[in-house]
């Protein structure tokens, strides 16, 4: 289990990765996504970067053309730049087509996007599947634009290329797999979505440091929606045969409440584990419903796909005011928030790895005192110190898993596993 010092160091490490990756202009395709995946590849030996050509049919979708953006700006009537992509990559609408023209302010306005209700924020706007161009700016700035002629320049390319994604398989003793997914397609926003891939990278490093793993772990770093659809179209049969649990990780680096969105089934092992972990690390966590979905759980749990994938988050996408704006910056996340997100995921994976079926090896209640596991003086309150262990023992009939028992007696799995180790050491318990 991670100590407090371990968690502090983990948070600092993940935050540094976020700082390094924040300036990159990512999208669902293009060099920014490749640059991000290459950075992650340096952190994770064995991560492979795949390329799927534009025009490839993936279920009901088609892999789009690749977008490359070099520069974009608006020159005001005085010849000065009033909007500059190089100042903030959210200033250009994602997938904007090339343009170089001069427009009046009236003609320019339909191509501008701002948020009157958040006048200091630059919105994040995309147009992946409809060819257009546009600029995003703070509403306060938009209100100050003077009448006159504006030169708009978008130096971009949109044409046949590839969609890239990263994949890492960490082998375990079993061919049964745990699937973890996160996405790498957002430009300079921190919680959505640098927290997902950086926390996932930290979890991968933790997995790779374990002496042995019961299960095999398949982790993907993909563009949201089109990336998960593409990956499923290539691997669905394998995933359906091998994946028995998994998690989608997104918006997992801020200091606000933890939250969880279930699989479509709602009662998978993944769901049970996340709810158990959340209940004990953050009793005030927010549980959403399948009807409030919006991330890649939509694809993994779609009818006919039906993978057991639940989503783990801090502040849920769309549920915090900084979401999809320039306010979702490096100040909105923190080392503590990132480490807390990673810790929640690691605790979930530890349950998967350590869950077994305990069975007492003696008839009747065991005499724990002679084995040093019970107070040797009977005084008021002494039994309370071992109450959880005794309650656990009362359910160790070889029919219930340790997670079952943890849920029944409302005690953290990790605490019960500590008792399992003690009871095994004195030959009172089998655990398979």
């Amino acid at each position: 289990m991670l100590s407090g010092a371990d968690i502090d160091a983990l948070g600092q490490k993940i935050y540094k990765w976020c700082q390094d990756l924040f300036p990159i202009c990512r999208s669902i395709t293009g060099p920014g996504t490749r640059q991000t995946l290459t950075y992650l590849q340096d952190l994770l030996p064995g991560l492979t970067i795949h390329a799927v050509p534009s025009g490839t049919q993936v279920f009901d979708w088609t892999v789009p053309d690749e977008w490359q953006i070099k520069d974009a700006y608006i020159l005001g009537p005085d010849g000065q730049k009033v909007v500059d992509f190089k100042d903030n990559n959210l200033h250009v609408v994602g997938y904007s087509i090339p343009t170089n023209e001069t427009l009046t302010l009236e003609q320019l306005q339909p191509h501008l996007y701002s948020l009157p209700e958040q006048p200091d924020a630059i919105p994040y706007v995309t147009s992946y599947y409809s060819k257009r161009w546009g600029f995003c700016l703070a509403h306060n700035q938009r209100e100050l634009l003077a009448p006159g002629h504006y030169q708009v320049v978008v130096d971009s390319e949109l044409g046949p290329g590839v969609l890239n994604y990263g994949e890492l398989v960490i082998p375990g003793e079993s061919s049964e797999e745990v699937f973890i997914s996160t996405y790498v397609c957002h430009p300079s926003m921190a919680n959505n979505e640098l927290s997902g891939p950086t926390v996932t990278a930290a979890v991968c490093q933790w997995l790779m440091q374990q002496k042995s793993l019961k299960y095999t772990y398949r982790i993907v770093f993909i563009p949201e929606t089109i990336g998960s659809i593409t990956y499923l179209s290539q691997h669905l049969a394998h995933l359906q045969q091998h994946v028995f649990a998994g998690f989608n990780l997104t918006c997992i680096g801020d200091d606000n409440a933890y939250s969880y969105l279930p699989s479509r089934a709602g009662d998978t092992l993944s769901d049970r584990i996340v709810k158990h972990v959340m209940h004990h690390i953050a009793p005030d966590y927010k549980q959403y419903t399948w009807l409030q979905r919006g991330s890649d759980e939509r694809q993994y749990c779609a009818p006919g796909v039906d993978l057991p994938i639940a989503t783990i988050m801090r502040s849920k996408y769309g549920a915090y005011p900084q979401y999809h704006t320039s306010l979702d910056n490096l100040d909105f996340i923190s080392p503590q928030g990132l480490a807390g997100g990673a810790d929640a995921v690691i605790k979930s994976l530890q349950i998967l790895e350590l869950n077994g079926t305990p069975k007492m090896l003696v008839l009747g209640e065991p005499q724990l005192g002679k084995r040093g596991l019970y107070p040797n003086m009977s005084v008021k309150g002494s039994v309370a110190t071992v109450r959880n262990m005794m309650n656990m023992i009362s359910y160790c009939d070889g029919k219930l898993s340790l997670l079952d028992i943890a849920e029944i007696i409302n005690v953290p799995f990790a605490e019960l596993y500590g008792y399992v180790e003690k009871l095994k050491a004195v030959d009172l318990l089998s655990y398979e």
Side-chain angles (χ1 to χ4, degrees):
M1 305 301 174
L2 296 178
S3 68
D6 290 337
I7 291 176
D8 289 342
L10 183 64
Q12 293 295 335
K13 178 172 69 172
I14 302 173
Y15 192 80
K16 175 61 167 60
W17 297 342
C18 289
Q19 289 176 311
D20 291 345
L21 292 168
F22 189 79
I24 299 173
C25 184
R26 285 164 289 274
S27 188
I28 57 174
T29 64
T33 300
R34 285 189 286 274
Q35 185 179 352
T36 300
L37 290 171
T38 299
Y39 182 98
L40 295 170
Q41 195 174 46
D42 288 339
L43 303 178
L44 304 172
L47 178 72
T48 56
I49 300 174
H50 300 266
V52 182
S54 302
T56 301
Q57 191 71 28
V58 289
F59 294 157
D60 198 40
W61 295 59
T62 303
V63 174
D65 284 343
E66 182 176 320
W67 184 61
Q68 300 192 26
I69 177 75
K70 300 175 184 177
D71 200 4
Y73 56 86
I74 301 175
L75 296 179
D78 61 357
Q80 299 299 308
K81 288 183 179 180
V82 294
V83 176
D84 191 350
F85 165 78
K86 291 180 179 177
D87 291 338
N88 191 311
N89 55 39
L90 298 182
H91 271 313
V92 66
V93 170
Y95 259 62
S96 283
I97 60 174
T99 188
N100 188 337
E101 53 186 304
T102 300
L103 304 172
T104 65
L105 178 59
E106 184 179 8
Q107 292 171 321
L108 177 61
Q109 288 288 7
H111 297 277
L112 299 181
Y113 300 86
S114 63
L115 299 170
E117 67 278 12
Q118 291 179 283
D120 296 319
I122 304 168
Y124 170 54
V125 180
T126 63
S127 182
Y128 298 136
Y129 301 103
S130 180
K131 291 185 178 181
R132 56 166 58 92
W133 61 267
F135 287 85
C136 305
L137 68 167
H139 195 71
N140 283 338
Q141 182 186 7
R142 184 176 184 178
E143 294 282 271
L144 296 176
L145 295 177
H149 287 82
Y150 291 77
Q151 183 183 4
V152 294
V153 175
V154 177
D155 184 5
S156 65
E157 296 179 12
L158 183 61
V162 297
L163 177 149
N164 297 106
Y165 68 83
E167 180 184 40
L168 175 66
V169 177
I170 303 173
E173 297 170 6
S174 170
S175 62
E176 287 188 281
E177 292 186 357
V178 179
F179 183 70
I180 300 174
S181 177
T182 191
Y183 44 93
V184 289
C185 56
H186 286 58
S188 295
M189 291 178 289
N191 205 40
N192 179 236
E193 182 58 38
L194 276 179
S195 65
T198 53
V199 165
T200 301
V203 171
C204 290
Q205 288 188 345
W206 177 84
L207 285 167
M208 296 165 78
Q209 290 166 0
Q210 303 310 298
K211 293 180 179 179
S212 63
L213 293 169
K214 183 188 297 185
Y215 301 111
T216 294
Y217 289 80
R218 182 175 298 269
I219 303 100
V220 294
F221 299 83
I222 56 174
E224 190 179 17
T225 304
I226 187 62
S228 54
I229 291 171
T230 298
Y231 190 83
L232 285 168
S233 73
Q234 296 178 329
H235 301 89
L236 181 58
H238 177 91
L239 297 174
Q240 289 180 327
Q241 181 179 356
H242 294 279
V243 172
F244 76 100
F247 308 101
N248 180 52
L249 307 184
T250 179
C251 297
I252 196 168
D254 64 275
D255 288 314
N256 296 323
Y258 288 82
S259 55
Y260 143 77
L261 194 138
S263 67
R264 184 166 64 94
D267 59 354
T268 68
L269 179 60
S270 308
D271 293 299
R272 289 179 59 199
I273 288 174
V274 176
K275 287 190 285 188
H276 177 82
V277 169
M278 293 292 185
H279 172 67
H280 289 287
I281 68 171
D284 61 345
Y285 80 97
K286 296 181 180 180
Q287 180 172 337
Y288 294 91
T289 74
W290 176 249
L291 298 181
Q292 294 167 294
R293 67 197 179 279
S295 185
D296 278 332
E297 69 276 340
R298 306 179 344 260
Q299 314 309 331
Y300 298 130
C301 301
V305 177
D306 299 315
L307 295 176
I309 308 301
T311 296
I312 302 176
M313 301 165 285
R314 299 292 301 245
S315 293
K316 177 183 177 289
Y317 47 82
Y320 58 98
Q322 297 86 350
Y323 176 74
H324 273 197
T325 77
S326 57
L327 303 180
D328 187 352
N329 54 35
L330 291 170
D331 292 331
F332 183 64
I333 62 171
S334 71
Q336 297 77 20
L338 292 160
D343 186 51
V345 178
I346 289 171
K347 281 182 167 66
S348 299
L349 300 185
Q350 286 174 324
I351 294 177
L352 282 170
E353 284 288 313
L354 300 176
N355 194 29
T357 304
K359 184 177 181 180
M360 295 305 298
L361 298 178
V362 297
L363 292 175
E365 186 175 283
Q367 188 177 21
L368 298 177
K370 67 181 183 181
R371 297 175 173 91
L373 298 176
Y374 197 87
N376 55 21
M377 291 287 291
S378 180
V379 297
K380 184 177 180 179
S382 62
V383 176
T385 61
V386 291
R387 173 62 65 184
N388 287 342
M389 181 169 63
M390 295 299 297
N391 284 341
M392 183 194 81
I393 287 171
S394 72
Y395 285 100
C396 292
D397 58 2
K399 298 177 182 178
L400 297 172
S401 73
L402 192 63
L403 178 59
D404 293 330
I405 298 171
E407 291 175 330
I408 291 169
I409 68 175
N410 194 26
V411 175
F413 178 94
E415 180 179 337
L416 297 193
Y417 188 77
Y419 301 143
V420 167
E421 294 282 85
K422 291 180 179 180
L423 293 168
K424 284 173 58 182
V426 293
D427 298 320
L428 279 178
L429 191 78
S430 67
Y431 192 70
E432 296 179 355

